[in-house]
Amino acid sequence: MLALTASSILLLSSLASAKPVPQKRNSVAIQLRPRVNYAVGATKVFNRNAVQQERKYVRNKYANVNDKASAAAAAAATIIKRAPATSGADALTDEFDTIDEFYYGPLSIGTPPQSSTVDFDTGSSDLVIPLSNCKGCAGELFNAKKSTTFKDTKKPFNITYEDQSGAAGTVCTETVTVAGVTVKGLSFGGVTTEAGNFNHGPNAGLLGLGFEGNSEAGATPFFETLASTNKLALPVFSFYMSRDGGSGSELCFGCINSAKYAGDIEYYPLDPSATNGTQLYWNIASTGLFYGSSTTGGSGGSGSGGDGGDNGGDDGGDDGDDAKKTGSHRQSLIKSDTPASRAASSALAAVIDSGTTLIYVPVASAKALYAKIPGAKAAPADIGAGFYTYPCSANLGTVSIGFGSKQYAINPSDFNLGQATNGSTECVGGIIGEDVGGNLAIVGDEFMKNWYSVFDYGKRRVGFAPSIATKDSKAPASS
């Protein structure tokens, strides 16, 4: 995960409210680029340092959940609604070597606008951008002196991780545009100093897509500002993430792109009970983790689903019959609860987090899951507590996450983080035991690559449909 975890920012004052600017466009998609790699080399060897670094960021990102919920409830504010206007989408880039680590895309800031790149993160709620005078910063830096709308509140912020890497700067406000949709006076952290391994990705900053209750700035986040004031054609955004560094990854603001999924979208309501009744994250109730044998799990998921395959579907060139067959194949990845797919953990509160690469579940849930995978065992101490390995040669059964009465499979190529060491016969599993608070599970891109994900602010729900990145995809779903 990107080091710029905005939820770790310590802001010391109230900030100006962001105001949306009326737009004339209908819908826009952001083309995403993939994250940095968590496995190295052509043989896919586990990248221990990168994964351990992300784990630190996850711990900080979800620290003090109860304190955040209490503070947010005490500071609840009334939002004024206005007339509807627009929506937009933007392309994302998949940062890939032998595993997709993260997806990032473009953003413009200032007047006149300056280009930058950010990790779009549903697990946090603030914008963090490095300024041109930043010491140690990489990527496209923002030159505040060239903007007529920049304001510096002079209020300091500080981000510090357990390895003593971090960043510091001041709280600022500025005009920000994503996919042609603009917000004026958006509060953000203007970074002036970075230390250690703070931002190891190719992107410059981070844009949080979570809720105001999780904003360290105490201000309405970018998307919530647009959605709550009816400035979008639909109060939603949706993610499509390609696999293996393929093109076509996309974040769609105010829109749902039917060319990126097959079948129907299944929706599940947000559940703030895990955070004391205050909506901090895009979290939904999960029935837990499931594991089924490779001979009974159906085609295409983490069972007999193969190696992650192609990134087909972008050209849309197949005929209607092929599209129907492909849609039927992908729909089979959603399974009803059957004896062949056995519950492997208790219920979870699943945060759907685009800013996290892997999947983190309570330690007890991870232990229960791997106990059902033949040959799985706790990883050596140098890999880390909470990690597990299993035989690379194993015919892995279906690993899935349950929502409602259904289970959603994870492709084995996404679950497999690579050989524990070069030449090892043991591979590292992509679900890690990490107690971040209560029964919270952090469900990242490892899951989202398999499932087109819709975040519906208007109806407070998250929806999933089989992604065209699924193995054996040959055509986009019909509209």
Side-chain angles (χ1 to χ4, degrees):
M1 169 192 165
L2 171 69
L4 294 175
T5 306
S7 60
S8 301
I9 303 175
L10 305 176
L11 300 176
L12 305 179
S13 67
S14 300
L15 304 169
S17 298
K19 298 180 180 179
V21 177
Q23 305 289 319
K24 297 180 181 180
R25 301 176 67 181
N26 289 324
S27 64
V28 184
I30 307 168
Q31 297 303 306
L32 297 175
R33 307 176 207 175
R35 262 191 200 85
V36 180
N37 170 43
Y38 277 0
V40 295
T43 56
K44 190 175 179 180
V45 179
F46 177 65
N47 189 333
R48 183 177 317 170
N49 291 336
V51 173
Q52 290 176 346
Q53 190 70 17
E54 169 171 272
R55 191 177 195 178
K56 295 175 184 176
Y57 300 144
V58 168
R59 287 172 177 169
N60 282 276
K61 188 175 187 177
Y62 292 94
N64 305 315
V65 170
N66 292 336
D67 291 343
K68 289 181 181 179
S70 299
T78 301
I79 298 175
I80 301 174
K81 293 197 172 185
R82 300 186 176 124
T86 189
S87 60
D90 219 346
L92 303 182
T93 297
D94 180 6
E95 184 68 21
F96 172 82
D97 185 347
T98 58
I99 188 172
D100 307 285
E101 187 189 336
F102 73 94
Y103 302 75
Y104 65 100
L107 167 149
S108 64
I109 182 170
T111 307
Q114 300 175 40
S115 297
S116 189
T117 53
V118 292
D119 184 0
F120 294 96
D121 179 16
T122 59
S124 64
S125 301
D126 295 282
L127 173 64
V128 178
I129 291 288
L131 303 182
S132 58
N133 62 341
C134 179
K135 298 178 180 179
C137 291
E140 298 173 279
L141 310 183
F142 173 55
N143 190 337
K145 294 181 179 179
K146 293 184 178 181
S147 175
T148 60
T149 49
F150 173 81
K151 293 182 180 179
D152 188 344
T153 69
K154 304 298 183 182
K155 305 298 181 182
F157 76 82
N158 181 59
I159 308 169
T160 303
Y161 295 113
E162 59 186 43
D163 64 353
Q164 299 307 306
S165 64
T170 57
V171 177
C172 310
T173 64
E174 185 55 283
T175 298
V176 176
T177 299
V178 179
V181 184
T182 300
V183 169
K184 287 186 175 180
L186 185 71
S187 299
F188 75 98
V191 179
T192 55
T193 303
E194 285 187 6
N197 189 24
F198 179 68
N199 180 16
H200 61 282
N203 52 298
L206 176 146
L207 178 62
L209 297 173
F211 291 86
E212 183 172 353
N214 194 35
S215 169
E216 300 295 338
T220 307
F222 179 85
F223 179 80
E224 193 170 5
T225 299
L226 295 170
S228 63
T229 54
N230 288 334
K231 288 296 178 181
L232 294 171
L234 292 172
V236 306
F237 62 90
S238 52
F239 275 95
Y240 165 71
M241 296 179 178
S242 66
R243 179 176 285 108
D244 298 343
S247 62
S249 297
E250 177 185 275
L251 168 59
C252 198
F253 275 113
C255 45
I256 300 171
N257 188 349
S258 62
K260 298 294 187 181
Y261 67 91
D264 298 324
I265 300 172
E266 298 277 346
Y267 287 96
Y268 302 94
L270 297 183
D271 180 17
S273 63
T275 50
N276 294 335
T278 299
Q279 199 67 59
L280 301 179
Y281 313 111
W282 290 94
N283 58 288
I284 55 180
S286 167
T287 52
L289 303 175
F290 290 78
Y291 182 75
S293 68
S294 60
T295 58
T296 59
S299 65
S302 293
S304 58
D307 59 4
D310 57 31
N311 301 288
D314 291 340
D315 59 7
D318 294 311
D319 61 26
D321 289 339
D322 284 343
K324 290 178 182 178
K325 291 177 183 177
T326 303
S328 175
H329 166 75
R330 295 193 199 105
Q331 196 66 20
S332 72
L333 299 181
I334 309 177
K335 303 178 180 63
S336 297
D337 193 1
T338 66
S341 185
R342 304 180 301 278
S345 80
S346 56
L348 302 168
V351 179
I352 311 304
D353 183 355
S354 65
T356 293
T357 303
L358 305 178
I359 298 172
Y360 297 83
V361 301
V363 169
S365 296
K367 183 177 181 180
L369 169 66
Y370 287 101
K372 294 186 178 298
I373 298 178
K377 57 187 177 183
D382 59 345
I383 289 179
F387 288 91
Y388 288 80
T389 62
Y390 63 94
C392 297
S393 60
N395 187 11
L396 187 67
T398 302
V399 178
S400 58
I401 302 177
F403 297 106
S405 63
K406 300 177 180 179
Q407 291 125 42
Y408 292 76
I410 301 167
N411 192 290
S413 68
D414 300 325
F415 179 79
N416 184 351
L417 300 185
Q419 299 172 1
T421 58
N422 192 18
S424 173
T425 60
E426 296 293 312
C427 285
V428 181
I431 294 181
I432 296 98
E434 180 69 37
D435 291 326
V436 296
N439 66 336
L440 278 182
I442 314 306
V443 179
D445 303 344
E446 178 184 340
F447 174 86
M448 292 177 67
K449 281 185 289 183
N450 297 272
W451 303 99
Y452 187 84
S453 303
V454 180
F455 298 79
D456 189 338
Y457 179 86
K459 295 184 178 180
R460 293 297 200 274
R461 60 185 185 172
V462 177
F464 305 116
S467 166
I468 64 170
T470 301
K471 170 68 177 174
D472 293 333
S473 295
K474 294 186 182 298
S478 301
S479 299

